[in-house]
Amino acid sequence: MAVVTYILMSGIALGMNARFTPESLGVEASSALVWYIIEVLIIMFSLYLVNARTDLSTFDVIAFSGYKYVAMILCLVAGGLFGSTGYWVVLVYTGITISYFLLKTLRLKILPHSSTDGYGQSAGSHRMYLTFIVSFVQPFLMLYLTHHLI
């Protein structure tokens, strides 16, 4: 739902700047969906690489990755109402909140299961780095997907 709403809001944002074309809506939809799929695949592959025995399913990763689209909608609304200043304020605020939320939530899902990797070292540090990276990348994806619309 959030991805579809983001695509529609990107069309409205482009229309407000007199840059809307039907092709641009298709480009936005393709870009959003491709980055969404790439992000989910990278996270699932990373969980496999760090040998994380977690109860996170693919649907959980899809849901956690989709939260940023709600924040991106808020950024586009703020950009439409208050210009680029409103966009940047809301982007920074929502970027921090999404990162904090994912850091706390994924920490509970990924880190408590301790095990060792094949070399006798604790795999907890790898899981911790993965949690930090996933939560840290979200604001930059939000910026990349919305900066050209305002």
Side-chain angles (χ1 to χ4, degrees):
M1 292 291 293
V3 176
V4 173
T5 307
Y6 161 72
I7 293 166
L8 295 174
M9 284 302 299
S10 66
I12 291 170
L14 288 171
M16 290 176 70
N17 294 329
R19 295 183 296 159
F20 177 78
T21 61
E23 293 83 19
S24 64
L25 199 60
V27 168
E28 290 300 319
S30 299
S31 176
L33 291 175
V34 166
W35 279 108
Y36 197 26
I37 292 169
I38 288 172
E39 179 185 6
V40 169
L41 289 176
I42 288 173
I43 291 171
M44 293 303 294
F45 184 68
S46 299
L47 285 171
Y48 172 76
L49 283 181
V50 298
N51 196 18
R53 290 184 180 93
T54 179
D55 56 351
L56 273 177
S57 69
T58 304
F59 292 118
D60 292 331
V61 174
I62 289 170
F64 287 134
S65 297
Y67 283 127
K68 76 176 156 299
Y69 288 97
V70 175
M72 290 165 42
I73 293 165
L74 293 175
C75 292
L76 292 177
V77 168
L81 294 176
F82 304 111
S84 68
T85 304
Y87 165 76
W88 285 105
V89 168
V90 172
L91 180 70
V92 169
Y93 177 73
T94 57
I96 291 170
T97 57
I98 289 290
S99 292
Y100 181 75
F101 168 75
L102 285 177
L103 186 64
K104 291 293 189 177
T105 306
L106 291 177
R107 181 178 59 92
L108 294 174
K109 290 289 205 175
I110 295 175
L111 292 182
H113 306 285
S114 63
S115 67
T116 58
D117 60 7
Y119 303 104
Q121 297 178 346
S122 172
S125 64
H126 299 294
R127 291 187 199 126
M128 182 180 65
Y129 292 140
L130 176 63
T131 305
F132 279 122
I133 289 170
V134 168
S135 63
F136 183 71
V137 166
Q138 299 301 312
F140 295 106
L141 284 172
M142 290 169 49
L143 174 67
Y144 177 74
L145 289 171
T146 59
H147 77 281
H148 63 283
L149 299 171
I150 301 300

PDB file of all heavy atoms in Angstrom, residues 98-131:
ATOM      1  N   ILE A  98      13.135   6.354  11.434  1.00  0.00           N
ATOM      2  CA  ILE A  98      13.124   5.036  10.774  1.00  0.00           C
ATOM      3  C   ILE A  98      14.372   4.249  11.165  1.00  0.00           C
ATOM      4  O   ILE A  98      14.301   3.048  11.457  1.00  0.00           O
ATOM      5  CB  ILE A  98      13.028   5.192   9.241  1.00  0.00           C
ATOM      6  CG1 ILE A  98      11.645   5.677   8.830  1.00  0.00           C
ATOM      7  CG2 ILE A  98      13.379   3.909   8.516  1.00  0.00           C
ATOM      8  CD1 ILE A  98      10.537   4.669   9.008  1.00  0.00           C
ATOM      9  N   SER A  99      15.523   4.908  11.183  1.00  0.00           N
ATOM     10  CA  SER A  99      16.755   4.218  11.569  1.00  0.00           C
ATOM     11  C   SER A  99      16.688   3.722  13.004  1.00  0.00           C
ATOM     12  O   SER A  99      17.061   2.587  13.304  1.00  0.00           O
ATOM     13  CB  SER A  99      17.959   5.149  11.406  1.00  0.00           C
ATOM     14  OG  SER A  99      18.171   5.414  10.057  1.00  0.00           O
ATOM     15  N   TYR A 100      16.203   4.561  13.895  1.00  0.00           N
ATOM     16  CA  TYR A 100      16.104   4.168  15.304  1.00  0.00           C
ATOM     17  C   TYR A 100      15.116   3.014  15.472  1.00  0.00           C
ATOM     18  O   TYR A 100      15.396   2.047  16.189  1.00  0.00           O
ATOM     19  CB  TYR A 100      15.671   5.371  16.146  1.00  0.00           C
ATOM     20  CG  TYR A 100      15.569   5.075  17.613  1.00  0.00           C
ATOM     21  CD1 TYR A 100      16.719   4.950  18.389  1.00  0.00           C
ATOM     22  CD2 TYR A 100      14.339   4.914  18.224  1.00  0.00           C
ATOM     23  CE1 TYR A 100      16.633   4.668  19.739  1.00  0.00           C
ATOM     24  CE2 TYR A 100      14.236   4.627  19.565  1.00  0.00           C
ATOM     25  CZ  TYR A 100      15.392   4.508  20.323  1.00  0.00           C
ATOM     26  OH  TYR A 100      15.299   4.217  21.645  1.00  0.00           O
ATOM     27  N   PHE A 101      13.975   3.105  14.813  1.00  0.00           N
ATOM     28  CA  PHE A 101      12.977   2.044  14.898  1.00  0.00           C
ATOM     29  C   PHE A 101      13.539   0.725  14.390  1.00  0.00           C
ATOM     30  O   PHE A 101      13.381  -0.325  15.030  1.00  0.00           O
ATOM     31  CB  PHE A 101      11.724   2.434  14.115  1.00  0.00           C
ATOM     32  CG  PHE A 101      10.777   1.307  13.904  1.00  0.00           C
ATOM     33  CD1 PHE A 101       9.984   0.846  14.953  1.00  0.00           C
ATOM     34  CD2 PHE A 101      10.662   0.687  12.668  1.00  0.00           C
ATOM     35  CE1 PHE A 101       9.104  -0.212  14.766  1.00  0.00           C
ATOM     36  CE2 PHE A 101       9.789  -0.356  12.478  1.00  0.00           C
ATOM     37  CZ  PHE A 101       9.008  -0.820  13.524  1.00  0.00           C
ATOM     38  N   LEU A 102      14.167   0.735  13.232  1.00  0.00           N
ATOM     39  CA  LEU A 102      14.700  -0.503  12.674  1.00  0.00           C
ATOM     40  C   LEU A 102      15.852  -1.047  13.510  1.00  0.00           C
ATOM     41  O   LEU A 102      15.990  -2.261  13.665  1.00  0.00           O
ATOM     42  CB  LEU A 102      15.146  -0.294  11.228  1.00  0.00           C
ATOM     43  CG  LEU A 102      14.022  -0.190  10.219  1.00  0.00           C
ATOM     44  CD1 LEU A 102      14.574   0.090   8.832  1.00  0.00           C
ATOM     45  CD2 LEU A 102      13.191  -1.451  10.202  1.00  0.00           C
ATOM     46  N   LEU A 103      16.661  -0.165  14.051  1.00  0.00           N
ATOM     47  CA  LEU A 103      17.758  -0.611  14.899  1.00  0.00           C
ATOM     48  C   LEU A 103      17.230  -1.339  16.124  1.00  0.00           C
ATOM     49  O   LEU A 103      17.700  -2.429  16.472  1.00  0.00           O
ATOM     50  CB  LEU A 103      18.622   0.588  15.315  1.00  0.00           C
ATOM     51  CG  LEU A 103      19.883   0.285  16.089  1.00  0.00           C
ATOM     52  CD1 LEU A 103      20.839  -0.509  15.224  1.00  0.00           C
ATOM     53  CD2 LEU A 103      20.524   1.575  16.539  1.00  0.00           C
ATOM     54  N   LYS A 104      16.233  -0.774  16.780  1.00  0.00           N
ATOM     55  CA  LYS A 104      15.664  -1.400  17.972  1.00  0.00           C
ATOM     56  C   LYS A 104      14.903  -2.684  17.623  1.00  0.00           C
ATOM     57  O   LYS A 104      15.000  -3.680  18.337  1.00  0.00           O
ATOM     58  CB  LYS A 104      14.720  -0.427  18.689  1.00  0.00           C
ATOM     59  CG  LYS A 104      15.430   0.725  19.334  1.00  0.00           C
ATOM     60  CD  LYS A 104      16.274   0.222  20.470  1.00  0.00           C
ATOM     61  CE  LYS A 104      16.832   1.360  21.266  1.00  0.00           C
ATOM     62  NZ  LYS A 104      17.593   0.892  22.406  1.00  0.00           N
ATOM     63  N   THR A 105      14.142  -2.661  16.553  1.00  0.00           N
ATOM     64  CA  THR A 105      13.324  -3.817  16.199  1.00  0.00           C
ATOM     65  C   THR A 105      14.171  -4.972  15.672  1.00  0.00           C
ATOM     66  O   THR A 105      13.994  -6.118  16.095  1.00  0.00           O
ATOM     67  CB  THR A 105      12.274  -3.429  15.144  1.00  0.00           C
ATOM     68  OG1 THR A 105      11.534  -2.314  15.625  1.00  0.00           O
ATOM     69  CG2 THR A 105      11.343  -4.569  14.852  1.00  0.00           C
ATOM     70  N   LEU A 106      15.090  -4.678  14.762  1.00  0.00           N
ATOM     71  CA  LEU A 106      15.922  -5.745  14.209  1.00  0.00           C
ATOM     72  C   LEU A 106      16.888  -6.296  15.247  1.00  0.00           C
ATOM     73  O   LEU A 106      17.262  -7.471  15.191  1.00  0.00           O
ATOM     74  CB  LEU A 106      16.671  -5.252  12.971  1.00  0.00           C
ATOM     75  CG  LEU A 106      15.812  -4.978  11.752  1.00  0.00           C
ATOM     76  CD1 LEU A 106      16.670  -4.430  10.621  1.00  0.00           C
ATOM     77  CD2 LEU A 106      15.078  -6.221  11.308  1.00  0.00           C
ATOM     78  N   ARG A 107      17.282  -5.463  16.189  1.00  0.00           N
ATOM     79  CA  ARG A 107      18.158  -5.942  17.263  1.00  0.00           C
ATOM     80  C   ARG A 107      17.459  -7.044  18.053  1.00  0.00           C
ATOM     81  O   ARG A 107      18.065  -8.040  18.420  1.00  0.00           O
ATOM     82  CB  ARG A 107      18.534  -4.790  18.193  1.00  0.00           C
ATOM     83  CG  ARG A 107      19.459  -5.175  19.311  1.00  0.00           C
ATOM     84  CD  ARG A 107      19.820  -3.969  20.155  1.00  0.00           C
ATOM     85  NE  ARG A 107      18.653  -3.332  20.739  1.00  0.00           N
ATOM     86  CZ  ARG A 107      18.171  -3.630  21.946  1.00  0.00           C
ATOM     87  NH1 ARG A 107      18.747  -4.540  22.679  1.00  0.00           N
ATOM     88  NH2 ARG A 107      17.116  -2.994  22.416  1.00  0.00           N
ATOM     89  N   LEU A 108      16.170  -6.876  18.289  1.00  0.00           N
ATOM     90  CA  LEU A 108      15.407  -7.891  19.010  1.00  0.00           C
ATOM     91  C   LEU A 108      15.193  -9.158  18.188  1.00  0.00           C
ATOM     92  O   LEU A 108      15.064 -10.248  18.735  1.00  0.00           O
ATOM     93  CB  LEU A 108      14.053  -7.328  19.433  1.00  0.00           C
ATOM     94  CG  LEU A 108      14.078  -6.205  20.455  1.00  0.00           C
ATOM     95  CD1 LEU A 108      12.683  -5.651  20.662  1.00  0.00           C
ATOM     96  CD2 LEU A 108      14.673  -6.700  21.765  1.00  0.00           C
ATOM     97  N   LYS A 109      15.133  -9.005  16.880  1.00  0.00           N
ATOM     98  CA  LYS A 109      14.878 -10.153  16.013  1.00  0.00           C
ATOM     99  C   LYS A 109      16.142 -10.911  15.624  1.00  0.00           C
ATOM    100  O   LYS A 109      16.112 -12.122  15.461  1.00  0.00           O
ATOM    101  CB  LYS A 109      14.179  -9.697  14.724  1.00  0.00           C
ATOM    102  CG  LYS A 109      12.769  -9.233  14.916  1.00  0.00           C
ATOM    103  CD  LYS A 109      11.926 -10.414  15.220  1.00  0.00           C
ATOM    104  CE  LYS A 109      10.489 -10.161  14.838  1.00  0.00           C
ATOM    105  NZ  LYS A 109       9.680 -11.340  15.031  1.00  0.00           N
ATOM    106  N   ILE A 110      17.255 -10.204  15.462  1.00  0.00           N
ATOM    107  CA  ILE A 110      18.461 -10.829  14.927  1.00  0.00           C
ATOM    108  C   ILE A 110      19.473 -11.171  16.010  1.00  0.00           C
ATOM    109  O   ILE A 110      20.049 -12.247  16.021  1.00  0.00           O
ATOM    110  CB  ILE A 110      19.117  -9.920  13.857  1.00  0.00           C
ATOM    111  CG1 ILE A 110      18.187  -9.784  12.661  1.00  0.00           C
ATOM    112  CG2 ILE A 110      20.444 -10.475  13.412  1.00  0.00           C
ATOM    113  CD1 ILE A 110      18.680  -8.819  11.610  1.00  0.00           C
ATOM    114  N   LEU A 111      19.722 -10.274  16.944  1.00  0.00           N
ATOM    115  CA  LEU A 111      20.842 -10.448  17.866  1.00  0.00           C
ATOM    116  C   LEU A 111      20.667 -11.471  18.982  1.00  0.00           C
ATOM    117  O   LEU A 111      21.654 -12.048  19.402  1.00  0.00           O
ATOM    118  CB  LEU A 111      21.214  -9.092  18.484  1.00  0.00           C
ATOM    119  CG  LEU A 111      21.818  -8.095  17.514  1.00  0.00           C
ATOM    120  CD1 LEU A 111      22.185  -6.819  18.233  1.00  0.00           C
ATOM    121  CD2 LEU A 111      23.023  -8.660  16.827  1.00  0.00           C
ATOM    122  N   PRO A 112      19.487 -11.734  19.523  1.00  0.00           N
ATOM    123  CA  PRO A 112      19.453 -12.598  20.707  1.00  0.00           C
ATOM    124  C   PRO A 112      19.840 -14.043  20.452  1.00  0.00           C
ATOM    125  O   PRO A 112      20.146 -14.757  21.381  1.00  0.00           O
ATOM    126  CB  PRO A 112      18.003 -12.514  21.179  1.00  0.00           C
ATOM    127  CG  PRO A 112      17.229 -12.161  19.995  1.00  0.00           C
ATOM    128  CD  PRO A 112      18.149 -11.301  19.168  1.00  0.00           C
ATOM    129  N   HIS A 113      19.857 -14.470  19.232  1.00  0.00           N
ATOM    130  CA  HIS A 113      20.200 -15.851  18.918  1.00  0.00           C
ATOM    131  C   HIS A 113      21.712 -15.942  18.745  1.00  0.00           C
ATOM    132  O   HIS A 113      22.242 -15.600  17.709  1.00  0.00           O
ATOM    133  CB  HIS A 113      19.502 -16.308  17.642  1.00  0.00           C
ATOM    134  CG  HIS A 113      18.020 -16.103  17.697  1.00  0.00           C
ATOM    135  ND1 HIS A 113      17.212 -16.905  18.441  1.00  0.00           N
ATOM    136  CD2 HIS A 113      17.216 -15.175  17.127  1.00  0.00           C
ATOM    137  CE1 HIS A 113      15.961 -16.499  18.318  1.00  0.00           C
ATOM    138  NE2 HIS A 113      15.944 -15.445  17.523  1.00  0.00           N
ATOM    139  N   SER A 114      22.397 -16.374  19.763  1.00  0.00           N
ATOM    140  CA  SER A 114      23.853 -16.422  19.680  1.00  0.00           C
ATOM    141  C   SER A 114      24.298 -17.792  19.207  1.00  0.00           C
ATOM    142  O   SER A 114      23.748 -18.827  19.575  1.00  0.00           O
ATOM    143  CB  SER A 114      24.473 -16.106  21.044  1.00  0.00           C
ATOM    144  OG  SER A 114      24.100 -17.090  21.969  1.00  0.00           O
ATOM    145  N   SER A 115      25.282 -17.775  18.374  1.00  0.00           N
ATOM    146  CA  SER A 115      25.883 -19.012  17.881  1.00  0.00           C
ATOM    147  C   SER A 115      27.298 -18.676  17.439  1.00  0.00           C
ATOM    148  O   SER A 115      27.734 -17.534  17.506  1.00  0.00           O
ATOM    149  CB  SER A 115      25.077 -19.581  16.712  1.00  0.00           C
ATOM    150  OG  SER A 115      25.167 -18.732  15.603  1.00  0.00           O
ATOM    151  N   THR A 116      27.998 -19.664  17.006  1.00  0.00           N
ATOM    152  CA  THR A 116      29.336 -19.424  16.493  1.00  0.00           C
ATOM    153  C   THR A 116      29.352 -19.770  15.021  1.00  0.00           C
ATOM    154  O   THR A 116      28.572 -20.602  14.546  1.00  0.00           O
ATOM    155  CB  THR A 116      30.377 -20.293  17.230  1.00  0.00           C
ATOM    156  OG1 THR A 116      30.010 -21.656  17.082  1.00  0.00           O
ATOM    157  CG2 THR A 116      30.438 -19.915  18.694  1.00  0.00           C
ATOM    158  N   ASP A 117      30.247 -19.094  14.315  1.00  0.00           N
ATOM    159  CA  ASP A 117      30.383 -19.434  12.907  1.00  0.00           C
ATOM    160  C   ASP A 117      31.272 -20.669  12.782  1.00  0.00           C
ATOM    161  O   ASP A 117      31.682 -21.259  13.768  1.00  0.00           O
ATOM    162  CB  ASP A 117      30.924 -18.246  12.115  1.00  0.00           C
ATOM    163  CG  ASP A 117      32.294 -17.779  12.586  1.00  0.00           C
ATOM    164  OD1 ASP A 117      32.878 -18.460  13.441  1.00  0.00           O
ATOM    165  OD2 ASP A 117      32.777 -16.750  12.092  1.00  0.00           O
ATOM    166  N   GLY A 118      31.611 -21.052  11.608  1.00  0.00           N
ATOM    167  CA  GLY A 118      32.402 -22.252  11.383  1.00  0.00           C
ATOM    168  C   GLY A 118      33.817 -22.176  11.901  1.00  0.00           C
ATOM    169  O   GLY A 118      34.509 -23.184  11.991  1.00  0.00           O
ATOM    170  N   TYR A 119      34.282 -20.999  12.261  1.00  0.00           N
ATOM    171  CA  TYR A 119      35.661 -20.828  12.703  1.00  0.00           C
ATOM    172  C   TYR A 119      35.770 -20.644  14.211  1.00  0.00           C
ATOM    173  O   TYR A 119      36.823 -20.275  14.716  1.00  0.00           O
ATOM    174  CB  TYR A 119      36.288 -19.629  11.989  1.00  0.00           C
ATOM    175  CG  TYR A 119      36.238 -19.773  10.503  1.00  0.00           C
ATOM    176  CD1 TYR A 119      35.324 -19.064   9.753  1.00  0.00           C
ATOM    177  CD2 TYR A 119      37.082 -20.662   9.843  1.00  0.00           C
ATOM    178  CE1 TYR A 119      35.252 -19.223   8.386  1.00  0.00           C
ATOM    179  CE2 TYR A 119      37.028 -20.827   8.485  1.00  0.00           C
ATOM    180  CZ  TYR A 119      36.112 -20.097   7.755  1.00  0.00           C
ATOM    181  OH  TYR A 119      36.045 -20.258   6.405  1.00  0.00           O
ATOM    182  N   GLY A 120      34.688 -20.850  14.938  1.00  0.00           N
ATOM    183  CA  GLY A 120      34.724 -20.758  16.381  1.00  0.00           C
ATOM    184  C   GLY A 120      34.548 -19.361  16.929  1.00  0.00           C
ATOM    185  O   GLY A 120      34.627 -19.149  18.129  1.00  0.00           O
ATOM    186  N   GLN A 121      34.322 -18.389  16.059  1.00  0.00           N
ATOM    187  CA  GLN A 121      34.122 -17.018  16.504  1.00  0.00           C
ATOM    188  C   GLN A 121      32.636 -16.750  16.658  1.00  0.00           C
ATOM    189  O   GLN A 121      31.814 -17.358  15.990  1.00  0.00           O
ATOM    190  CB  GLN A 121      34.723 -16.032  15.511  1.00  0.00           C
ATOM    191  CG  GLN A 121      36.216 -16.146  15.371  1.00  0.00           C
ATOM    192  CD  GLN A 121      36.753 -15.179  14.336  1.00  0.00           C
ATOM    193  OE1 GLN A 121      35.990 -14.620  13.567  1.00  0.00           O
ATOM    194  NE2 GLN A 121      38.052 -15.006  14.320  1.00  0.00           N
ATOM    195  N   SER A 122      32.331 -15.820  17.531  1.00  0.00           N
ATOM    196  CA  SER A 122      30.929 -15.470  17.731  1.00  0.00           C
ATOM    197  C   SER A 122      30.414 -14.727  16.503  1.00  0.00           C
ATOM    198  O   SER A 122      31.045 -13.807  16.002  1.00  0.00           O
ATOM    199  CB  SER A 122      30.781 -14.577  18.961  1.00  0.00           C
ATOM    200  OG  SER A 122      29.470 -14.101  19.058  1.00  0.00           O
ATOM    201  N   ALA A 123      29.246 -15.139  16.036  1.00  0.00           N
ATOM    202  CA  ALA A 123      28.639 -14.490  14.878  1.00  0.00           C
ATOM    203  C   ALA A 123      27.796 -13.291  15.292  1.00  0.00           C
ATOM    204  O   ALA A 123      27.212 -12.630  14.458  1.00  0.00           O
ATOM    205  CB  ALA A 123      27.782 -15.484  14.108  1.00  0.00           C
ATOM    206  N   GLY A 124      27.745 -12.984  16.587  1.00  0.00           N
ATOM    207  CA  GLY A 124      26.944 -11.865  17.070  1.00  0.00           C
ATOM    208  C   GLY A 124      27.424 -10.532  16.548  1.00  0.00           C
ATOM    209  O   GLY A 124      26.625  -9.642  16.279  1.00  0.00           O
ATOM    210  N   SER A 125      28.733 -10.360  16.394  1.00  0.00           N
ATOM    211  CA  SER A 125      29.240  -9.078  15.895  1.00  0.00           C
ATOM    212  C   SER A 125      28.833  -8.867  14.445  1.00  0.00           C
ATOM    213  O   SER A 125      28.528  -7.751  14.046  1.00  0.00           O
ATOM    214  CB  SER A 125      30.749  -9.008  16.046  1.00  0.00           C
ATOM    215  OG  SER A 125      31.366  -9.991  15.239  1.00  0.00           O
ATOM    216  N   HIS A 126      28.817  -9.940  13.664  1.00  0.00           N
ATOM    217  CA  HIS A 126      28.383  -9.819  12.272  1.00  0.00           C
ATOM    218  C   HIS A 126      26.913  -9.436  12.197  1.00  0.00           C
ATOM    219  O   HIS A 126      26.513  -8.631  11.371  1.00  0.00           O
ATOM    220  CB  HIS A 126      28.618 -11.118  11.505  1.00  0.00           C
ATOM    221  CG  HIS A 126      30.042 -11.524  11.438  1.00  0.00           C
ATOM    222  ND1 HIS A 126      30.980 -10.786  10.751  1.00  0.00           N
ATOM    223  CD2 HIS A 126      30.694 -12.578  11.971  1.00  0.00           C
ATOM    224  CE1 HIS A 126      32.161 -11.377  10.863  1.00  0.00           C
ATOM    225  NE2 HIS A 126      32.008 -12.470  11.596  1.00  0.00           N
ATOM    226  N   ARG A 127      26.118 -10.013  13.073  1.00  0.00           N
ATOM    227  CA  ARG A 127      24.690  -9.672  13.113  1.00  0.00           C
ATOM    228  C   ARG A 127      24.490  -8.234  13.557  1.00  0.00           C
ATOM    229  O   ARG A 127      23.598  -7.546  13.076  1.00  0.00           O
ATOM    230  CB  ARG A 127      23.950 -10.617  14.046  1.00  0.00           C
ATOM    231  CG  ARG A 127      23.873 -12.003  13.513  1.00  0.00           C
ATOM    232  CD  ARG A 127      22.993 -12.853  14.399  1.00  0.00           C
ATOM    233  NE  ARG A 127      23.291 -14.235  14.134  1.00  0.00           N
ATOM    234  CZ  ARG A 127      23.620 -15.117  15.050  1.00  0.00           C
ATOM    235  NH1 ARG A 127      23.662 -14.774  16.301  1.00  0.00           N
ATOM    236  NH2 ARG A 127      23.881 -16.349  14.723  1.00  0.00           N
ATOM    237  N   MET A 128      25.313  -7.794  14.501  1.00  0.00           N
ATOM    238  CA  MET A 128      25.210  -6.415  14.972  1.00  0.00           C
ATOM    239  C   MET A 128      25.546  -5.442  13.834  1.00  0.00           C
ATOM    240  O   MET A 128      24.848  -4.455  13.626  1.00  0.00           O
ATOM    241  CB  MET A 128      26.147  -6.178  16.149  1.00  0.00           C
ATOM    242  CG  MET A 128      26.066  -4.777  16.729  1.00  0.00           C
ATOM    243  SD  MET A 128      27.169  -4.530  18.105  1.00  0.00           S
ATOM    244  CE  MET A 128      28.761  -4.709  17.322  1.00  0.00           C
ATOM    245  N   TYR A 129      26.599  -5.740  13.076  1.00  0.00           N
ATOM    246  CA  TYR A 129      26.962  -4.892  11.941  1.00  0.00           C
ATOM    247  C   TYR A 129      25.862  -4.885  10.893  1.00  0.00           C
ATOM    248  O   TYR A 129      25.557  -3.844  10.316  1.00  0.00           O
ATOM    249  CB  TYR A 129      28.280  -5.351  11.315  1.00  0.00           C
ATOM    250  CG  TYR A 129      29.476  -5.131  12.188  1.00  0.00           C
ATOM    251  CD1 TYR A 129      30.491  -6.081  12.256  1.00  0.00           C
ATOM    252  CD2 TYR A 129      29.604  -3.982  12.958  1.00  0.00           C
ATOM    253  CE1 TYR A 129      31.590  -5.887  13.054  1.00  0.00           C
ATOM    254  CE2 TYR A 129      30.702  -3.779  13.767  1.00  0.00           C
ATOM    255  CZ  TYR A 129      31.700  -4.742  13.805  1.00  0.00           C
ATOM    256  OH  TYR A 129      32.788  -4.542  14.596  1.00  0.00           O
ATOM    257  N   LEU A 130      25.264  -6.038  10.648  1.00  0.00           N
ATOM    258  CA  LEU A 130      24.176  -6.113   9.684  1.00  0.00           C
ATOM    259  C   LEU A 130      22.991  -5.261  10.134  1.00  0.00           C
ATOM    260  O   LEU A 130      22.400  -4.541   9.340  1.00  0.00           O
ATOM    261  CB  LEU A 130      23.736  -7.564   9.487  1.00  0.00           C
ATOM    262  CG  LEU A 130      22.536  -7.784   8.574  1.00  0.00           C
ATOM    263  CD1 LEU A 130      22.850  -7.322   7.159  1.00  0.00           C
ATOM    264  CD2 LEU A 130      22.121  -9.235   8.595  1.00  0.00           C
ATOM    265  N   THR A 131      22.681  -5.313  11.414  1.00  0.00           N
ATOM    266  CA  THR A 131      21.583  -4.511  11.951  1.00  0.00           C
ATOM    267  C   THR A 131      21.870  -3.029  11.782  1.00  0.00           C
ATOM    268  O   THR A 131      21.001  -2.260  11.370  1.00  0.00           O
ATOM    269  CB  THR A 131      21.364  -4.843  13.444  1.00  0.00           C
ATOM    270  OG1 THR A 131      21.151  -6.245  13.574  1.00  0.00           O
ATOM    271  CG2 THR A 131      20.184  -4.097  14.004  1.00  0.00           C
TER     272      THR A 131
END
